[in-house]
Structure formats: structure tokens, C-alpha cells
Amino acid sequence: MADNSTLVGAVSSLQRIVFQVLIVQILISVFLCINVLQITAFFKRELFRKTMRYILFANTLLSDSLFLILTNIALILSAFHVAMEIWLCLIIYIGLSLCTVITPITLIAMTLERFVAICMPLRHGELCTTRNSLHCILIIHSISSIPLTVFLSIFFASASSIVYTQHFSCTVESFILHSWQRHLRSAMNQLYFLIMCVIIVFCYVKIMKVAKVASGENRTSTQKGLQTVALHAFQLMLCLISLWIPFIEAALLQIDFMLFVNVRYFNYIVFILAPRCLSPLIYGLRDEKFFLTVKYNVCFGLQKKQSSFSFV
């Protein structure tokens, strides 16, 4: 009887895991399709490829798309307890760590671009050139790689040769060999996000001051810029909350395992996936030029498909 109960419990647990994984597959598939459409729109129009805010937006789309793919792989491997060698886990971890930081730093760069456009309009054309956009992306990736470089340097210096031959579940905890590494990682992330929060509050206050004295079309443009900055702040808030997730989950694990599993899944959807899916909605669908280009590409593709069927 006990064996039957255990078997039924195992089947029920497996069904729940499969259902949760399928929900994530649907969400990720939808947003990857949206991202691909918007990336295609960016490369099809020369205007987008020469405008700083669109270049930065494309950088965010590429980073978020890679993040969605890698985090989905990590979720599936973790859900079904697939063990792997450290080098494969290292590739996934490097990609996830970089994308985790690249997106919020790019959001800050986009906020600064809106600040320059609204508060320093005469210098916008001089500062926000295509060349400076590429330099900005290089700086974003360099800054994003600092925490990862520090963390991996400590790991390689501390890890014994046995670690490189073992198979284990691929999680960030696999690279933490000392408790102080966890504190160092948390401190660096929180320092980054503190600086980001200060920058975004500064930009919001400055743009709000300009909005109060603006009039006509300038007022409309300024208000839209203000809304964009506020939405970026909301994204950063979600990213900031995600930093506290490991601490919350560790406490829940000590209380109740099923509660830990359910909260972990909720956190993954709301605080890890959601911020990555907001960028296409904030910029891609709110920006009229970009939205019309995406709409044209989708409609033209459907018309072309229908015409090919009618020809057949």
C-alpha cells in the first residue's frame, strides 16, 4: 500500500513538473517569436541601424533572446535532474551571467539617451551617433563581464582537479566553493543595481522638470520619454528583486520543500522571465515607427504566403 502511494505521488509530481515546464515553453516561444520579428525589423530599415536608441534596443533584444534560450535549457536540465560535466555547465553559466547584467545596463544606457534627447536636445545629434552607439555597446559588455570575471577567477583558483571530472546538476551553486563567494557575488550585484537606480532616478527627475515647462509637441514627446523611463525603472525593480530570490528560497527550503518548489517557480516566471519580456512591449510596440515596421513585415509575410497558396 505504501509502495502504491509512493508511486502515485511520484507520478503526480512528474505530471506537475511536466505541466510547469510546458507553460514556460509556451511563454518563451511566444516572446522569442516577438523578439525575432523585432530583430528582423531592426535590420531591415537603415533608419533603425543608424539611430542610437534602436541600436541599444536591438542589443537588448539579442541579449534577452539568448537569455530566454539559455534559462530554458537550464530549467529543463534542473527540472529533470540531468547531470553534466562542468565545461558544458560553464558555457551556460557564462551566457546567463552576461545576459543577466547586459540587459539592465543597456536599459540605463537607453534611459541616458532619452535624458540627452529631452534635456540636452542640441547635443543629442553630436553625442548619440552610430559610432558612439557601438562604443556604448562595447562599454556595456565590458562592464557586464566584470562580476563574471571576478567570480570565475575565484572559482578556477579554488577548485581542485577532481571538480573538472565530476558530473552534477548545473546550477550557480555548483561554482560556489566558499560561503564568502556568495556574499561577494551578492554585494557586487547590489552595487551595480544601486548605481543603476541612482542614475534612473536622476534622469526621471530631470526629465520631469523639463516636462513641467514644455508645451505643445515638446510636452507630448517629453511625457512619452517620462513614461519610458518609468517603465525602465519598473523593469530594474523586478531585476533588483530577483537578486533577493536566492535568500528567500534558501529560507523557504528550511521550512517546507513543496512551498519552496512552488515559490521558486513563481519567482522564475515573475522576476526572471517577466523583466526580459517587457522590453519588446515597452519599446517595440510603443514606438510608432518600429511598430509599423513590424506590422508591415508580418502583414507582408502573410500576404506573400496567401498569394503563394493561391498560385498553387
Side-chain angles (χ1 to χ4, degrees):
M1 191 73 173
D3 292 339
N4 290 336
S5 299
T6 303
L7 183 60
V8 170
V11 171
S12 176
S13 177
L14 180 61
Q15 289 176 341
R16 178 181 53 79
I17 291 171
V18 171
F19 175 75
Q20 290 179 341
V21 170
L22 284 175
I23 293 295
V24 172
Q25 302 313 301
I26 293 170
L27 291 174
I28 288 179
S29 298
V30 169
F31 281 101
L32 277 178
C33 288
I34 295 173
N35 285 4
V36 168
L37 286 172
Q38 296 190 358
I39 291 169
T40 304
F42 169 78
F43 284 107
K44 279 196 171 183
R45 285 196 65 178
E46 188 177 3
L47 170 67
F48 299 149
R49 299 196 303 273
K50 291 187 175 181
T51 307
M52 187 175 202
R53 70 175 181 270
Y54 295 121
I55 294 172
L56 293 174
F57 175 53
N59 185 58
T60 306
L61 287 175
L62 291 170
S63 172
D64 287 347
S65 297
L66 180 60
F67 180 87
L68 289 173
I69 293 170
L70 291 177
T71 194
N72 189 39
I73 293 172
L75 173 72
I76 293 171
L77 294 175
S78 175
F80 297 104
H81 305 289
V82 178
M84 64 178 67
E85 291 185 4
I86 193 169
W87 64 268
L88 184 57
C89 182
L90 190 62
I91 293 172
I92 297 173
Y93 175 71
I94 289 172
L96 282 174
S97 296
L98 284 175
C99 293
T100 298
V101 186
I102 285 173
T103 293
I105 293 180
T106 307
L107 290 177
I108 292 299
M110 293 167 76
T111 300
L112 290 171
E113 187 275 333
R114 286 294 83 199
F115 165 75
V116 173
I118 294 169
C119 300
M120 306 166 60
L122 298 179
R123 298 204 61 193
H124 184 261
E126 175 191 347
L127 295 174
C128 301
T129 62
T130 305
R131 184 177 181 180
N132 286 344
S133 301
L134 298 177
H135 290 163
C136 185
I137 289 176
L138 182 61
I139 292 170
I140 288 169
H141 285 255
S142 299
I143 294 173
S144 301
S145 65
I146 293 173
L148 176 66
T149 303
V150 172
F151 191 75
L152 288 182
S153 298
I154 295 171
F155 171 76
F156 289 130
S158 305
S160 63
S161 57
I162 301 174
V163 174
Y164 300 102
T165 60
Q166 291 178 337
H167 288 70
F168 49 83
S169 180
C170 187
T171 63
V172 66
E173 301 298 326
S174 304
F175 299 95
I176 297 177
L177 303 178
H178 309 284
S179 59
W180 58 265
Q181 286 179 264
R182 188 180 292 105
H183 299 309
L184 175 63
R185 178 171 171 266
S186 176
M188 291 186 70
N189 286 337
Q190 290 183 53
L191 176 63
Y192 267 54
F193 279 92
L194 177 62
I195 295 170
M196 292 177 200
C197 289
V198 171
I199 293 172
I200 208 162
V201 169
F202 169 80
C203 292
Y204 186 85
V205 170
K206 289 292 185 181
I207 294 172
M208 190 164 56
K209 288 181 179 179
V210 173
K212 288 181 179 179
V213 298
S215 60
E217 290 185 5
N218 287 338
R219 187 176 182 84
T220 303
S221 176
T222 304
Q223 289 291 345
K224 191 171 182 180
L226 202 61
Q227 291 172 6
T228 301
V229 173
L231 288 168
H232 286 336
F234 178 68
Q235 278 183 281
L236 285 174
M237 183 189 72
L238 292 177
C239 292
L240 184 60
I241 292 173
S242 69
L243 292 177
W244 294 96
I245 287 177
F247 300 103
I248 297 170
E249 291 176 353
L252 290 174
L253 183 59
Q254 303 297 322
I255 300 170
D256 183 79
F257 179 74
M258 287 308 300
L259 179 63
F260 160 77
V261 171
N262 293 329
V263 170
R264 190 178 190 182
Y265 182 72
F266 173 81
N267 289 339
Y268 177 78
I269 298 292
V270 176
F271 299 119
I272 295 179
L273 287 188
R276 308 290 163 171
C277 301
L278 285 175
S279 291
L281 303 178
I282 290 174
Y283 251 85
L285 300 184
R286 288 179 70 249
D287 187 284
E288 187 177 354
K289 292 178 183 177
F290 210 90
F291 176 72
L292 290 175
T293 303
V294 173
K295 184 179 177 182
Y296 172 80
N297 289 339
V298 173
C299 294
F300 181 75
L302 290 174
Q303 289 175 0
K304 190 174 181 181
K305 191 173 181 180
Q306 288 174 359
S307 63
S308 65
F309 277 128
S310 59
F311 177 77
V312 175

